Amino acid sequence: MNQRDLTLLTDFYELTMMQGYYNQKQNETVVFDVFYRQNPCNGGYAICAGLEQVIEYVKGLNFTYEDVDYLRSLGIFSEDFLHYLGGFHFSGDIYAIPEGTVVFPKEPLLKVIAPIMEAQLVETAILNIINHQSLIATKTSRVVFAADGDGVMEFGLRRAQGPDAGLYGARAAMIGGCVGTSNVLAGQLFDVPVLGTHAHSWIMSFPDEYTAFKTYAELYPHNCTLLVDTYDTLKSGVPNAIRVFQELRDSGVELTKYGIRLDSGDLAYLSKEARKMLDAAGFETATIAASNDLDEHLLHDLKIQGAAITSWGVGTNLITSKDCPSFGGVYKLAAIQNEDGEFVPKIKLSENTEKITNPGNKTIYRIYDKTTGKIRADLICFADETFDTSEDLVLFDPIETWKKTRLAGGSYTMREIMVPIFKKGECIYHSPSVREIAAYCKQEKKTLWEETKRLFYPHNVYVDLSDKLYAVKKELLNQLGRD
């Protein structure tokens, strides 16, 4: 895929701050964390996505002559600074949680360790990429959960907020669990299945519905799904579809992929009635697909009502995450390296307790129940901390510290979930294919307790701090309080 130059995909103040650091000869190495504060859609988890595009962006960072000339035309940047930009390249380290991993609030999804000018520049684009794809992957995961094993197709391109949102939204939707997308470019670029049938206009362009169905079936006899709600679903659409299916069967065609699609009306009632009609005609294996402004809540209700739908096309509400259009990821300074090479923890205060950051150069350990393989908690700690799983581990809520859990030694396992992506400006990570990420994500969701996956009032997974990190955070808060 030919990548566009995204070097100037940044907020203006990133560049003005960079010039300030440059003029002050202030370019110490720092640590920035990318994290979010609340799960989208009031859910119990999120799915991180977008890392491959972050990698492509960082690899391509390069101020061209045209970029420098444009910045010069703004009349705010010095020639010395513009000369520096002309030779810019990223020289730092990046660590991240792999795409498709289930994640939780407050934990770093990605951290940048780099000279402050470099770390400042990449903030906006990294947030743009991670926020968007993580949001759509998470929304998709909820829709797939509501579908309860049925296939979910991503149909949102025409309602996405522009080509990029449609393209990378489709990518994220595949990671989140969709079986295919209507987006042909996404299919080509990411090697994922493309799916679709025909529109109402196909039916309306023929003299009658039967002729439209028959013509379509002759074109695609082995992949024939007919849209039956153009005129009258039960009196016209379904009977005409049955007639065409019978003619295909009588002509010797083996019916494998075939069925009907509903795009309007009471989907529960219509699907159940259509199912009766199809079964009575001997087409018990015909699928019933549905579309029409679906989301996880409507799917949940339709399932409760016994809708006979086995395949779902979800568009607007998925590709835009309509009820929660922002992921809310932020990028915060966590540490500054001193002259001795040690990282000095930094903290952001706020009147809102939820906005107080976790200081220092950190990593994350995921703690699993050894018997079930389910997630017990995530533990944020300093990057150099290690743990012995044969020893008891006491976990506590970093805000309501009296809430404690003791895990007996030998009853749990731990896995560090942040991995190195860039070292000294060189990418050392190989991005899996979208299909591989989707398969990994499916396994990841199996590590969640059912109580965490439910759509309404889910159980929250604990994200705790190590004793050492909590002590440093507490001391910083006390120091700032005294100041």
Side-chain angles (χ1 to χ4, degrees):
M1 177 179 179
N2 294 325
Q3 295 298 313
R4 289 173 299 168
D5 181 1
L6 300 180
T7 301
L8 291 185
L9 186 69
T10 190
D11 288 309
F12 186 57
Y13 80 166
E14 310 288 16
L15 291 165
T16 58
M17 285 190 287
M18 283 180 72
Q19 178 167 248
Y21 294 136
Y22 179 85
N23 290 343
Q24 296 298 316
K25 295 181 171 52
Q26 181 183 348
N27 202 24
E28 60 267 64
T29 296
V30 296
V31 177
F32 274 93
D33 292 335
V34 174
F35 62 94
Y36 70 102
R37 297 187 177 102
Q38 291 183 314
N39 289 317
C41 308
N42 297 313
Y45 67 96
I47 302 292
C48 62
L51 179 58
E52 182 175 0
Q53 282 63 54
V54 168
I55 292 171
E56 292 169 353
Y57 159 72
V58 174
K59 283 182 175 180
L61 278 174
N62 173 47
F63 288 87
T64 64
Y65 292 121
E66 292 79 9
D67 294 338
V68 173
D69 284 345
Y70 168 71
L71 294 175
R72 180 180 290 113
S73 74
L74 300 179
I76 194 169
F77 299 111
S78 70
E79 285 301 316
D80 282 351
F81 179 63
L82 292 172
H83 180 73
Y84 161 77
L85 292 183
F88 180 91
H89 68 280
F90 182 78
S91 66
D93 301 343
I94 294 178
Y95 292 77
I97 297 175
E99 292 189 86
T101 305
V102 296
V103 291
F104 309 104
K106 297 296 187 69
E107 55 194 25
L109 309 185
L110 180 147
K111 70 175 178 180
V112 176
I113 305 175
I116 194 166
M117 284 193 286
E118 299 175 27
Q120 201 73 71
L121 174 66
V122 299
E123 171 183 2
T124 303
I126 287 177
L127 286 177
N128 174 275
I129 295 166
I130 296 292
N131 275 334
H132 174 241
Q133 290 199 46
S134 297
L135 176 69
I136 304 306
T138 304
K139 182 66 171 180
T140 303
S141 183
R142 290 172 56 81
V143 174
V144 169
F145 175 77
D148 194 26
D150 297 340
V152 175
M153 301 168 286
E154 186 278 306
F155 280 180
L157 177 58
R158 63 188 61 191
R159 300 288 177 81
Q161 282 104 341
D164 281 354
L167 180 62
Y168 292 107
R171 180 185 187 275
M174 293 302 301
I175 290 171
C178 279
V179 298
T181 175
S182 66
N183 187 328
V184 180
L185 182 57
Q188 179 194 38
L189 294 179
F190 307 126
D191 187 28
V192 297
V194 289
L195 302 169
T197 55
H198 58 78
H200 294 104
S201 58
W202 172 268
I203 311 296
M204 296 162 65
S205 68
F206 286 83
D208 56 75
E209 187 175 55
Y210 164 71
T211 304
F213 285 175
K214 182 177 177 62
T215 305
Y216 190 84
E218 289 172 349
L219 282 169
Y220 310 107
H222 300 291
N223 190 5
C224 183
T225 299
L226 303 174
L227 181 59
V228 296
D229 71 331
T230 305
Y231 302 121
D232 189 303
T233 298
L234 299 180
K235 293 181 179 179
S236 174
V238 177
N240 279 322
I242 290 172
R243 180 181 174 187
V244 169
F245 295 152
Q246 188 62 57
E247 290 173 352
L248 283 176
R249 180 177 285 174
D250 291 345
S251 68
V253 172
E254 183 180 354
L255 296 175
T256 52
K257 295 182 179 179
Y258 75 108
I260 64 171
R261 177 163 73 95
L262 304 169
D263 190 49
S264 61
D266 187 326
L267 296 179
Y269 170 74
L270 291 175
S271 66
K272 287 185 282 188
E273 292 302 308
R275 181 79 271 162
K276 293 175 187 176
M277 296 167 69
L278 289 164
D279 290 354
F283 297 106
E284 295 89 349
T285 58
T287 61
I288 300 179
S291 47
N292 188 30
D293 287 334
L294 301 172
D295 64 9
E296 68 269 39
H297 305 294
L298 183 52
L299 261 70
H300 177 265
D301 287 350
L302 288 169
K303 283 285 188 179
I304 291 175
Q305 294 166 36
I309 298 165
T310 54
S311 182
W312 308 84
V314 188
T316 304
N317 293 317
L318 186 154
I319 204 68
T320 65
S321 188
K322 188 175 180 180
D323 61 335
C324 180
S326 175
F327 190 70
V330 295
Y331 187 86
K332 298 299 181 184
L333 180 67
I336 298 178
Q337 194 174 53
N338 63 20
E339 293 179 354
D340 297 326
E342 298 172 339
F343 283 105
V344 179
K346 297 292 180 177
I347 193 169
K348 175 187 178 296
L349 287 184
S350 174
E351 291 294 324
N352 184 342
T353 305
E354 292 296 312
K355 290 192 174 184
I356 297 174
T357 60
N358 291 317
N361 180 20
K362 302 176 293 297
T363 190
I364 309 156
Y365 281 94
R366 180 148 292 169
I367 304 168
Y368 299 92
D369 182 275
K370 196 170 185 178
T371 302
T372 64
K374 303 291 187 183
I375 299 172
R376 292 297 304 269
D378 276 1
L379 186 66
I380 306 175
C381 59
F382 288 119
D384 59 357
E385 288 191 74
T386 58
F387 301 89
D388 184 349
T389 57
S390 67
E391 298 179 353
D392 289 1
L393 179 66
V394 177
L395 301 172
F396 63 92
D397 188 301
I399 297 175
E400 298 172 327
T401 55
W402 60 89
K403 294 182 178 179
K404 296 183 179 181
T405 300
R406 179 180 295 275
L407 302 179
S411 70
Y412 64 95
T413 61
M414 300 180 74
R415 176 173 73 98
E416 188 174 6
I417 59 174
M418 294 197 85
V419 299
I421 309 298
F422 283 85
K423 296 293 287 186
K424 297 181 179 178
E426 296 295 323
C427 182
I428 61 171
Y429 180 80
H430 173 72
S431 293
S433 70
V434 173
R435 291 176 188 256
E436 289 170 334
I437 298 170
Y440 167 71
C441 184
K442 186 175 182 179
Q443 294 303 312
E444 274 287 286
K445 286 185 279 189
K446 290 180 180 179
T447 67
L448 292 168
W449 300 90
E450 291 303 310
E451 293 84 353
T452 299
K453 291 188 281 188
R454 65 187 176 220
L455 298 177
F456 307 101
Y457 307 105
H459 172 75
N460 291 322
V461 172
Y462 290 108
V463 178
D464 300 318
L465 306 183
S466 69
D467 290 341
K468 186 176 179 182
L469 176 54
Y470 179 76
V472 170
K473 181 176 183 177
K474 186 176 179 181
E475 177 58 26
L476 286 172
L477 291 172
N478 287 337
Q479 287 178 8
L480 292 170
R482 288 194 295 268
D483 294 342

